[in-house]
Amino acid sequence: MEVTEIILRNLPKISMNKIYAGVHWTKRKQLKDAFYLVIKSQFKTVFPKTDRYTVSYEIVSKKGIPCDATNLGYIIKIIEDTIFEDDSWDIITQVCMSSRKGEDDYVKVTVTTL
């Protein structure tokens, strides 16, 4: 097993509640494009679809009240679509997500290659 730890900073904070509120697809596309640019500026690797993975996402917030862990699904989905060649059920076999207060704003992604 190989473990890769990625720290991503300066990502927009978008709660799943906002997406459920009926955000138009063009706005969702703009958000996805903004995330993609920020993520790729910090992590250029793409995990290949020839391996299997488990992934842990920890979103740390400095200001305000952190989002509920399940409200982070939109952010996590965009990160996943950016750093993995394929995110099929048989490639990413397990996902864990957490949210907490911290000294800085960042997302820590821990990818374990099985």
Side-chain angles (χ1 to χ4, degrees), residues 4-39:
T4 304
E5 192 173 282
I6 306 159
I7 302 293
L8 299 171
R9 300 183 187 282
N10 303 314
L11 292 172
K13 297 234 169 123
I14 304 296
S15 167
M16 187 69 88
N17 291 334
K18 182 173 179 135
I19 300 304
Y20 273 143
V23 173
H24 193 269
W25 72 268
T26 56
K27 179 64 176 169
R28 289 193 313 268
K29 170 90 166 85
Q30 288 173 342
L31 289 169
K32 184 176 181 179
D33 291 346
F35 268 92
Y36 180 85
L37 291 174
V38 172
I39 294 165

Side-chain angles (χ1 to χ4, degrees), residues 55 57 75-84 87 92 95:
V55 189
Y57 298 89
I75 295 170
I76 290 168
K77 179 63 176 156
I78 293 174
I79 294 170
E80 186 176 89
D81 286 348
T82 303
I83 67 172
F84 290 94
D87 62 350
I92 299 176
V95 173

Side-chain angles (χ1 to χ4, degrees), residues 3-114:
V3 177
T4 304
E5 192 173 282
I6 306 159
I7 302 293
L8 299 171
R9 300 183 187 282
N10 303 314
L11 292 172
K13 297 234 169 123
I14 304 296
S15 167
M16 187 69 88
N17 291 334
K18 182 173 179 135
I19 300 304
Y20 273 143
V23 173
H24 193 269
W25 72 268
T26 56
K27 179 64 176 169
R28 289 193 313 268
K29 170 90 166 85
Q30 288 173 342
L31 289 169
K32 184 176 181 179
D33 291 346
F35 268 92
Y36 180 85
L37 291 174
V38 172
I39 294 165
K40 281 302 186 186
S41 72
Q42 298 175 57
F43 186 75
K44 299 189 183 342
T45 302
V46 173
F47 293 96
K49 63 183 179 181
T50 54
D51 290 318
R52 294 176 57 223
Y53 310 94
T54 62
V55 189
S56 173
Y57 298 89
E58 179 182 24
I59 298 183
V60 180
S61 300
K62 182 178 178 178
K63 296 180 184 176
I65 299 171
C67 287
D68 298 342
T70 55
N71 278 343
L72 305 172
Y74 186 70
I75 295 170
I76 290 168
K77 179 63 176 156
I78 293 174
I79 294 170
E80 186 176 89
D81 286 348
T82 303
I83 67 172
F84 290 94
E85 182 180 13
D86 189 344
D87 62 350
S88 300
W89 65 271
D90 57 340
I91 295 171
I92 299 176
T93 61
Q94 183 178 25
V95 173
C96 177
M97 54 186 157
S98 64
S99 177
R100 70 175 178 85
K101 192 110 168 124
E103 298 295 318
D104 201 1
D105 293 316
Y106 62 90
V107 178
K108 177 180 164 185
V109 184
T110 305
V111 179
T112 303
T113 305
L114 303 176

